[in-house]
Amino acid sequence: MSEASQNLHITGGKDLPGFHNLLGYRQVSWEEDKAVIALDLRPEHLNLGGVIHGGVLSSLLDIVLAEAGTYCPYPGRMRKAITLTLTTTFTGQCSGGTITVTGIKRAGGTRIFNSTGEVRDDKGNLLAIAEGTFRIRSGSEKPEGVPI
């Protein structure tokens, strides 16, 4: 997922590719070791019980945790990573409003990194937490990444 997230950063959030477009989130901020995205909940994000679907939460956490370790400040370039593990714990529910998802890179080397993250509703309630391990794809090891 991080490859498409990189495209989001470079295009300023316009014309999100594939699954990212389906989710419909927006980039709030992105810097070295930290990323924040937000999602205005729509009916299609909810499960049969009328609350946000766990798959939506897990997907957003996967995206933002990968972004936390793949920031690229160079225009027209991007860094890519693949998810090796993702552990998500669901801690709350909501059925409307805006959720904010934050990812922070915690540790890593030249190819493997770990990130943690959380999802909060617009009242500050914790909805989910996650921890993930990611592998930087070939060519993306350096800050300048690869051409788009």
Side-chain angles (χ1 to χ4, degrees):
M1 285 194 189
S2 120
E3 181 177 341
S5 298
Q6 296 299 333
N7 288 332
L8 167 64
H9 174 64
I10 292 164
T11 64
K14 298 176 185 167
D15 301 321
L16 296 173
F19 186 62
H20 297 261
N21 185 51
L22 184 66
L23 287 170
Y25 65 89
R26 66 184 176 281
Q27 196 77 44
V28 175
S29 65
W30 198 356
E31 61 192 64
E32 190 70 31
D33 299 333
K34 184 177 181 183
V36 180
I37 59 179
L39 176 70
D40 298 322
L41 293 182
R42 301 184 312 252
E44 56 268 28
H45 295 128
L46 307 181
N47 63 21
L48 294 175
V51 296
I52 189 167
H53 193 284
V56 173
L57 294 171
S58 293
S59 294
L60 294 171
L61 283 161
D62 185 39
I63 291 164
V64 81
L65 269 62
E67 283 185 350
T70 56
Y71 178 72
C72 183
Y74 299 91
R77 302 185 69 86
M78 61 192 270
R79 296 179 70 206
K80 303 175 186 180
I82 60 170
T83 305
L84 299 176
T85 66
L86 181 68
T87 303
T88 305
T89 303
F90 304 103
T91 59
Q93 301 177 344
C94 75
S95 57
T98 301
I99 60 170
T100 302
V101 190
T102 304
I104 298 173
K105 179 181 172 186
R106 299 294 181 179
T110 57
R111 296 291 302 242
I112 305 290
F113 67 92
N114 299 93
S115 297
T116 60
E118 66 178 34
V119 182
R120 293 190 178 268
D121 67 14
D122 49 15
K123 296 178 181 79
N125 297 313
L126 186 65
L127 304 179
I129 56 175
E131 176 178 85
T133 303
F134 302 84
R135 182 175 63 82
I136 300 288
R137 294 183 62 184
S138 296
S140 294
E141 300 90 344
K142 295 181 180 178
E144 61 271 13
V146 296
I148 296 175

